[in-house]
Amino acid sequence: MPVSPDSRRAVLRALAAAPIAGFLTACGQGSPAFKGSDISGTHLGKALSMVDQDGRPRTLADYAGKVLVVFFGYTQCPDVCPTSLAEMAQVMQALGEDAARVQVIMVTVDPERDTPEVLKQYVQTFNPTFVGLTGTPEQVRQAAQSFKVYYAKVPAKNGVDYSMDHSAAFYLLDAKGEARVLAGNGTDVDSLVHDIKALLA
């Protein structure tokens, strides 16, 4: 369909009035090019309200000014969680001085066993700056829903013990507390460092 001169001028005026940053983003330029999935605008994590490894009430707003790396797990996890924490320890080392502007947070999906004391000993084994968050079952449920995280208790055959199924991913939030990047399980150290530095810039 032919475009009239008036319509063409209206489109050009609209483009000229649009924020330059938004226009560049549409072209794949200007904004940080993340290695992980860009989740800007999703506002994930806003409903988190828990207790840290020292028993203090916490929301993500308490860490304003730092880039946050949040993931969900539990201390008796046999593989994914310790691997994730070890990887984040490598990331912090690779960041050098910039690591002081980053906060790694593990949110437990197993509040029954993961008391503040247990969490503290666990996360700080990997890095003394790491934070563990726990709370009531309802607080954990609310936090998981806020991040759209799946978790479920899986009873063992003996009918006594259990494990936890859970989503495995890193959520990167900028210094304003906005969710920006989702890095799936298996994301390498270099990619995580790249995305964190993009948010620090």
Side-chain angles (χ1 to χ4, degrees):
M1 179 181 295
V3 179
S4 71
D6 288 342
S7 296
R8 189 178 291 109
R9 280 193 292 271
V11 171
L12 291 173
R13 279 197 300 272
L15 287 173
I20 295 300
F23 180 71
L24 290 175
T25 299
C27 296
Q29 302 172 8
S31 290
F34 299 125
K35 301 288 188 180
S37 299
D38 191 331
I39 55 172
S40 301
T42 58
H43 307 299
L44 297 179
K46 295 296 185 180
L48 183 147
S49 178
M50 305 185 77
V51 174
D52 71 12
Q53 75 274 7
D54 293 313
R56 294 172 296 193
R58 291 291 193 183
T59 67
L60 294 186
D62 292 321
Y63 305 101
K66 289 190 174 186
V67 167
L68 305 183
V69 180
V70 180
F71 74 101
F72 287 72
Y74 66 114
T75 62
Q76 296 195 37
C77 176
D79 41 36
V80 174
C81 303
T83 300
S84 296
L85 282 168
E87 184 174 27
M88 285 313 307
Q90 293 179 52
V91 168
M92 295 292 272
Q93 185 174 9
L95 285 169
E97 293 182 356
D98 284 336
R101 301 161 58 203
V102 177
Q103 181 63 63
V104 175
I105 299 173
M106 174 177 147
V107 180
T108 185
V109 294
D110 186 15
E112 183 178 334
R113 296 181 293 195
D114 288 347
T115 63
E117 295 78 14
V118 169
L119 269 176
K120 183 172 186 175
Q121 181 178 2
Y122 183 73
V123 299
Q124 293 188 354
T125 297
F126 296 89
N127 186 297
T129 69
F130 287 1
V131 167
L133 296 182
T134 187
T136 65
E138 178 55 35
Q139 285 176 310
V140 172
R141 184 161 43 249
Q142 183 177 352
Q145 289 175 347
S146 186
F147 277 96
K148 301 189 183 302
V149 164
Y150 162 82
Y151 71 100
K153 182 183 287 190
V154 181
K157 291 181 180 180
N158 63 17
V160 178
D161 299 321
Y162 65 90
S163 61
M164 300 294 298
D165 275 351
H166 61 92
S167 304
F170 296 110
Y171 296 82
L172 274 56
L173 287 73
D174 64 24
K176 296 179 181 179
E178 294 294 335
R180 301 293 304 282
V181 181
L182 177 65
N185 181 36
T187 302
D188 61 85
V189 169
D190 289 344
S191 295
L192 288 166
V193 170
H194 173 275
D195 288 353
I196 290 170
K197 284 188 173 182
L199 294 177
L200 288 170

